[in-house]
Amino acid sequence: MEGADSFVIKEGWATKESGQAVLGQTNWRKRWCRLSRSSDGTFWAYYRKLEDIALGQPAGRIELDSTCMDAARELEDGERKNKPNCFALGPMYDNFAKRTYYISCESMDDKLSWMVVLNTATECQAEPNEKFEKKRKSVKQRLNRRSRKDTKKGMNLSKEIIGLDPLQRIEQWKNLCNIIACCDWKKTDCKNGITISRLSFNKNDKASVKIQGIVQVPPDIMYDYLQQAMQKGGKLDQPFRGEEVLQKMEDAIPYARIVYNKYAALPLPSASPRDVCLERMWMPSYLTKNGTSGMVLWSTNHSLIPPVEGFTRVLTDLSGFVLSPVKTEDSMIHTNATVLVQIDVQESLQTMLEGSYKSGLLKIGLRTAFSHISYLVEQYYDYVKSLK
């Protein structure tokens, strides 16, 4: 039974997949769906017939939970349905206690409308009702942008930069530094000495996030540590363990490599595996005019990558980190470390990425990771000093 202060955000007919399969087949039933909100929470319910609404007898009902990252999302490759205009509603992370619902709408516009209100209701649960419309516009822009981009799948790779020469590689480093220094960063959040900012999710094809903080070691020490730690067997090698080097470009400094990696184990239910092909370059401080150093990477393509069925390609704009010297009050040289990530992990994972940033979960994870790396670098510096 809905509370006295409940109001209906959206309702209408849609076709829902049954939760149980008979002989491997599921049924699809037409149901009256209703999204409502009250002081008790935000609920999505479905009814077999309209008369059941007055009786308060839904055939099913779930509370949308932002802490579990409930979301309406596009289907992954591994969960395609033989129905038009389908979307999924359920937890973004693996959660065996919660069900994922599959819903087919009469039109693409109706599908988008349901996805917008469901995601808006989840994202602004703790906010007053008057902010719902403002949030809905933001969510609609984001979903519209992703829908437009999804129609152009397969076109991105043809525009990627392949095997740049040394001068072009240096230019990519300068571009990375310029993006970090640009004034378009917004939603800046500072805590515990670590600043996290992002560019608009609505206007950009890829999520762009910047993390910045001071690490109490000289830049050359941090640069040396990261080079070692990110190699196979290093303390930060986890993302690179399955990496395959397709090409080494060692004709001139700065050296670069084209690398390929596949990621099969993903946290999203039914998510198709991802792969990524990157050109990666380390920039030593002696090649820069201001003593900065770091690493830059970007998506590329390569003839040695075989067609991999079932994998979705992750796309990365200029990303990496920049290490800049900064003098403290006691004349010590420390590192102003800035990490830039510009990434489109595609489909549901991108929805999860953007939603987890808005909910605050991603910012907690980024701060924890930055603090952990800072601690490891400072430990390494203490060890280096003990050898002198």
Side-chain angles (χ1 to χ4, degrees), residues 102-373:
Y102 296 100
I103 302 154
S104 172
C105 299
E106 293 184 357
S107 67
M108 181 61 71
D109 287 342
D110 194 35
K111 168 189 167 180
L112 179 61
S113 176
W114 271 113
M115 292 179 69
V116 167
V117 296
L118 287 164
N119 286 332
T120 304
T122 301
E123 289 184 16
C124 67
Q125 273 189 337
E127 296 177 357
N129 293 334
E130 57 265 23
K131 290 191 176 180
F132 187 90
E133 284 303 317
K134 182 178 179 181
K135 175 71 76 172
R136 174 152 60 176
K137 290 179 182 178
S138 173
V139 173
K140 186 174 183 179
Q141 287 176 339
R142 198 165 73 233
L143 289 176
N144 266 328
R145 184 258 301 171
R146 295 217 59 76
S147 297
R148 288 194 303 271
K149 194 189 74 60
D150 286 344
T151 63
K152 300 177 182 178
K153 274 186 181 179
M155 297 175 62
N156 292 314
L157 292 179
S158 63
K159 299 179 181 179
E160 290 168 2
I161 307 165
I162 303 174
L164 298 183
D165 63 39
L167 290 178
Q168 290 173 317
R169 297 199 291 262
I170 291 176
E171 195 63 31
Q172 290 290 77
W173 168 259
K174 292 178 181 177
N175 291 337
L176 176 73
C177 295
N178 288 336
I179 294 170
I180 287 174
C182 81
C183 59
D184 293 333
W185 295 97
K186 55 187 254 184
K187 304 294 183 183
T188 298
D189 185 81
C190 301
K191 190 177 294 183
N192 301 327
I194 302 170
T195 301
I196 301 178
S197 310
R198 67 171 174 86
L199 298 179
S200 170
F201 288 145
N202 300 331
K203 298 178 181 178
N204 298 289
D205 284 343
K206 299 174 179 64
S208 299
V209 180
K210 179 174 71 170
I211 310 101
Q212 192 167 34
I214 301 297
V215 183
Q216 297 180 5
V217 304
D220 59 333
I221 293 293
M222 188 166 185
Y223 179 82
D224 290 343
Y225 176 81
L226 292 174
Q227 273 200 311
Q228 297 177 47
M230 291 171 65
Q231 294 178 10
K232 291 181 182 179
K235 287 193 173 183
L236 302 176
D237 77 333
Q238 199 279 333
F240 315 106
R241 289 175 188 170
E243 185 174 275
E244 180 183 356
V245 178
L246 302 180
Q247 183 178 343
K248 295 181 180 180
M249 288 166 285
E250 300 178 346
D251 48 338
I253 300 173
Y255 300 144
R257 292 183 174 186
I258 294 180
V259 296
Y260 175 71
N261 211 336
K262 295 188 290 187
Y263 301 93
L266 299 172
L268 185 68
S270 304
S272 60
R274 262 57 174 178
D275 65 354
V276 61
C277 184
L278 301 169
E279 184 165 342
R280 185 174 62 216
M281 179 192 80
W282 290 86
M283 175 64 87
S285 59
Y286 61 81
L287 287 184
T288 65
K289 295 180 180 179
N290 53 6
T292 59
S293 59
M295 184 194 73
V296 58
L297 54 84
W298 57 91
S299 278
T300 187
N301 203 0
H302 200 278
S303 59
L304 292 180
I305 300 176
V308 185
E309 186 175 352
F311 277 76
T312 301
R313 179 65 49 85
V314 172
L315 300 173
T316 305
D317 276 351
L318 282 177
S319 300
F321 58 83
V322 177
L323 311 176
S324 304
V326 57
K327 185 176 289 188
T328 63
E329 293 180 357
D330 55 359
S331 297
M332 299 290 290
I333 302 297
H334 290 167
T335 301
N336 181 12
T338 305
V339 182
L340 173 66
V341 179
Q342 299 194 99
I343 191 168
D344 185 351
V345 288
Q346 301 283 327
E347 297 174 336
S348 297
L349 285 183
Q350 191 73 2
T351 304
M352 180 183 74
L353 176 68
E354 296 174 4
S356 62
Y357 187 99
K358 287 179 174 290
S359 70
L361 294 175
L362 181 60
K363 286 185 279 189
I364 293 172
L366 292 174
R367 278 201 177 86
T368 301
F370 192 97
S371 298
H372 177 64
I373 294 172

Side-chain angles (χ1 to χ4, degrees), residues 27-43:
N27 294 318
W28 291 79
R29 306 290 191 201
K30 198 169 185 179
R31 296 289 183 255
W32 184 265
C33 299
R34 169 179 281 194
L35 176 65
S36 59
R37 193 179 189 204
S38 70
S39 57
D40 296 328
T42 304
F43 298 90

